[in-house]
Amino acid sequence: MRRYPSSPFLAHNSVGHGPRKVIVLHDWHGDRTTYDPILPYLDRESFQYAFADLPGYGASRDHPVPAGVEQLARAILALGDGLGWRRFHLVGHSLSAMIAQCAAMLAPERVASLAAVCPLPASGSPADDAALAFFAATAGNDDAFRRLMRFLSGPLADGWIEAKRKRSRAASGAEVKMAYFDLFRTDFSAKLAGAATRANLILGDRDPGLDAAAMAPLFGRWYADLAVETVRNCGHYPMEEAPPGFAAILERLLARQAVAP
């Protein structure tokens, strides 16, 4: 793990040494270790990955959480600067998919492609106020967290849910999670019309409300060059629920060529 305790660059785990550079972001309840299950299956000759901890999470705990999605996106672009990567692919999962979309919008010349995994879209959460109040409760309430995990990835064992709970609590405190909570009601989608970024959607077929039927038409309105893949028998965490399959889909999409206009 490379850590920059007194620098503007986010902590990250560097994997591989290939020519295709990829920054990978984690979800609201995790940190970079959410992706640990896929590490044995990555093509390290073709790709170099930087699995980053968002500000306030994991080894980036000493980074204050910027206000608003644009400042968060600029922190990701600054990580690209710190890595010496002028151009890179960007992967975001759940809440961080919104941050990734914003980074691609701010610097399209730098983002070779965007991969949105079970994403919070640029238009914000489709959940109603009651559901969002429940989400907020999961930041500090363990019973609410367990109910959320059963809803998002129901068939998995209670032991998996308990391991997720422990990792979530270790990754960041409730106050950090709540500093990100406004993103659920953020909407910058009007700025995306006609985006030239090559976009990829990776979805779980058991992820409620975030399946291809809901997400593909939405992203299709914003990105002319869009590919959609579904990981079968998966909920909201395909990188943990089906690591080899997820890794294969991710790298296939990262390597695909842009669609001719």
Side-chain angles (χ1 to χ4, degrees):
M1 161 65 76
R2 298 176 184 174
R3 189 174 183 184
Y4 303 88
S6 59
S7 90
F9 306 128
L10 296 174
H12 61 279
N13 182 29
S14 183
V15 175
H17 51 270
R20 293 188 174 102
K21 311 303 184 183
V22 190
I23 294 177
V24 186
L25 310 176
H26 60 81
D27 70 306
W28 188 51
H29 269 297
D31 60 13
R32 64 179 179 82
T33 64
T34 301
Y35 292 94
D36 282 358
I38 73 170
L39 298 186
Y41 310 112
L42 298 177
D43 179 353
R44 301 176 185 219
E45 300 294 324
S46 299
F47 298 91
Q48 183 179 0
Y49 293 91
F51 294 91
D53 281 324
L54 291 171
Y57 284 83
S60 295
R61 282 181 180 273
D62 52 352
H63 291 258
V65 181
V69 68
E70 288 199 8
Q71 292 306 310
L72 285 161
R74 292 187 192 284
I76 304 309
L77 296 172
L79 174 59
D81 294 337
L83 291 163
W85 295 354
R86 175 62 189 163
R87 189 161 168 82
F88 50 86
H89 301 269
L90 190 50
V91 179
H93 173 221
S94 194
L95 179 138
S96 72
M98 173 183 273
I99 301 171
Q101 284 185 268
C102 188
M105 179 190 74
L106 293 175
E109 74 285 356
R110 298 195 62 186
V111 178
S113 76
L114 164 74
V117 183
C118 303
L120 176 67
S123 53
S125 174
D128 60 22
D129 289 344
L132 285 179
F134 170 69
F135 291 162
T138 68
N141 183 295
D142 288 345
D143 287 340
F145 178 89
R146 294 182 184 103
R147 291 199 301 275
L148 177 64
M149 289 300 112
R150 290 191 184 98
F151 177 69
L152 296 177
S153 301
L156 299 182
D158 287 348
W160 182 84
I161 292 172
E162 187 62 14
K164 286 290 291 180
R165 184 193 67 79
K166 290 178 179 178
R167 289 203 306 276
S168 174
R169 300 314 185 218
S172 65
E175 69 284 354
V176 168
K177 292 182 176 71
M178 293 310 298
Y180 283 81
F181 196 72
D182 283 348
L183 270 62
F184 286 102
R185 282 298 187 224
T186 296
D187 183 353
F188 58 90
S189 59
K191 300 178 181 179
L192 293 180
T197 302
R198 187 185 348 149
N200 303 297
L201 268 177
I202 304 177
L203 307 167
D205 63 354
R206 293 182 175 177
D207 191 3
L210 296 179
D211 57 8
M215 290 292 108
L218 191 61
F219 275 72
R221 293 205 296 266
W222 304 327
Y223 302 100
D225 186 350
L226 176 68
V228 183
E229 294 264 6
T230 298
V231 186
R232 302 180 71 177
N233 299 315
C234 270
H236 196 62
Y237 292 92
M239 66 289 295
E240 294 184 279
E241 298 176 52
F246 174 79
I249 288 172
L250 176 63
E251 293 193 330
R252 183 167 67 248
L253 290 175
L254 291 175
R256 79 176 178 89
Q257 297 301 306
V259 173

